[in-house]
């Protein structure tokens, strides 16, 4: 893995309000696109709600080339934080397997609502 352009880029969850390309997300998270693709593969194969967030193509397969949803961007920011803390993909995979609820769409919606409440109160 290449060094991060911004060391603290995944210290906080990422909340965006639009679908974003992997290149754009990599820039926001301060990593190379190839690093983000590694994180995306980890999430794709281990988090069902992440995988189900991809649009389907005309033949019913998942369109992994499409821009990622705000939920998927949030998941990738969490995977990136785990990679920074745990240092090895196998450890991250193990953590995800034991804590799938930490990456659920429900957890994302709760966190997003908290952010919105803070924004309105400011």
């Amino acid at each position: 893995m290449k060094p991060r352009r911004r060391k603290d880029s995944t210290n906080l969850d990422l909340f965006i309000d639009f679908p974003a390309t992997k290149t754009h997300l990599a820039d926001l998270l301060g990593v190379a696109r190839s690093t983000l693709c590694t994180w995306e593969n980890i999430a794709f194969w281990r988090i069902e709600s992440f995988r189900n967030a991809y649009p389907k193509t005309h033949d019913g397969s998942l369109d992994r080339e499409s821009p990622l949803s705000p939920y998927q961007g949030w998941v990738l920011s969490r995977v990136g934080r785990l990679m920074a803390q745990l240092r090895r993909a196998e450890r991250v995979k193990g953590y995800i397997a034991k804590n799938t609820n930490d990456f659920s769409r429900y957890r994302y919606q709760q966190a997003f609502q908290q952010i919105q409440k803070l924004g309105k109160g400011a």
Side-chain angles (χ1 to χ4, degrees), residues 13 42-43 46-51 71-72 74-83 86 92-109:
D13 289 344
I42 290 171
R46 282 155 191 85
I47 305 168
E48 186 177 356
S49 55
F50 181 89
R51 187 172 44 252
Y71 162 69
Q72 289 171 310
W74 175 81
V75 168
L76 293 178
S77 71
R78 292 189 139 211
V79 171
R81 184 165 48 252
L82 284 173
M83 287 297 290
L86 302 177
V92 172
K93 292 172 187 177
Y95 179 90
I96 292 171
K98 291 177 184 173
N99 301 282
T100 53
N101 288 337
D102 287 356
F103 303 91
S104 69
R105 189 175 284 277
Y106 177 74
R107 183 68 54 94
Y108 163 74
Q109 289 168 339

Side-chain angles (χ1 to χ4, degrees), residues 3-15 25-32 39 73 76-78 80-81 84:
R4 295 175 185 217
R5 292 188 295 262
R6 291 187 313 272
K7 189 176 175 182
D8 60 350
S9 61
T10 56
N11 287 355
L12 302 172
D13 289 344
L14 176 67
F15 292 96
L25 282 174
D27 189 48
L28 289 174
L29 295 171
V31 297
W39 298 352
L76 293 178
S77 71
R78 292 189 139 211
R81 184 165 48 252

